[in-house]
Amino acid sequence: MKMILKVMAALALAGMASPALAEEFTLSSPDIAEGAQLDSKQVFQGFGCDGGNIAPRLSWTGVPEGTKSFAVTAYDPDAPTGSGWWHWFVVNIPAGAEGVSPSVPLDTTATQLRNDYGASGFGGACPPEGEVHRYQFTVHALSTVLNLDTNATNALAGFMVNANSIASDTITAVYTR
């Protein structure tokens, strides 16, 4: 922020107009909220859990210039695996998209990778009984369309997404049973 203010001050001294600050890239959802317990709709059906296994609706605003595609992830860093648990990983959502919704099919260019349950698409929360886990829903604005297919691992996709991310935002919800 200090650098932006220095640039704006330099432009003002030079008699040039101040650049307009871009709107902040922001993720929102009517289904999940920061720090709030997930609804049973976002809970897995299986592994001892009894939920709807439905992805939350997500939308974003303030898309940065140069965005060529989006990636959406849902990740549990608290899973007792040593590497967390990927609940959802979608890449190549078109640049013009304003969100994702379970009621609207993803564009055919989008690729849903296998989650850690072994299925393509969203796999809901299902922590061990008595444990509170965090579920990080993140959208990334990417500078490219990724060359990944449905057999790509979440680790490879994560590397590619992080290497090409222009901006991101996260909502961290929780769940316990």
Side-chain angles (χ1 to χ4, degrees):
M1 187 63 160
K2 288 182 182 179
M3 182 58 130
I4 293 172
L5 293 174
K6 286 181 182 178
V7 169
M8 290 173 70
L11 290 171
L13 285 174
M16 302 170 83
S18 298
L21 294 177
E23 182 182 354
E24 186 175 347
F25 188 51
T26 304
L27 176 63
S28 62
S29 174
D31 299 329
I32 60 173
E34 186 67 31
Q37 172 94 347
L38 290 172
D39 187 272
S40 64
K41 290 182 231 169
Q42 282 78 51
V43 173
F44 192 65
Q45 179 65 44
F47 281 52
C49 291
D50 188 22
N53 204 44
I54 299 172
R57 294 171 288 173
L58 303 173
S59 60
W60 45 83
T61 58
V63 175
E65 189 175 322
T67 299
K68 303 285 190 266
S69 69
F70 297 99
V72 169
T73 63
Y75 176 70
D76 172 3
D78 303 314
T81 63
S83 60
W85 192 271
W86 290 100
H87 289 266
W88 199 20
F89 212 126
V90 186
V91 296
N92 297 335
I93 299 168
E98 296 176 347
V100 292
S101 171
S103 63
V104 178
L106 288 168
D107 185 279
T108 57
T109 61
T111 301
Q112 294 196 75
L113 304 178
R114 290 194 173 280
N115 58 44
D116 283 343
Y117 293 113
S120 183
F122 179 76
C126 187
E129 286 190 50
E131 294 186 14
V132 177
H133 282 215
R134 295 168 292 160
Y135 296 88
Q136 300 167 335
F137 293 85
T138 303
V139 61
H140 291 267
L142 303 178
S143 61
T144 189
V145 174
L146 299 177
N147 186 18
L148 295 171
D149 66 26
T150 57
N151 295 317
T153 65
N154 290 308
L156 173 62
F159 174 81
M160 297 299 293
V161 165
N162 287 316
N164 293 286
S165 185
I166 299 170
S168 66
D169 195 27
T170 300
I171 298 172
T172 302
V174 297
Y175 187 73
T176 187
R177 60 181 180 117

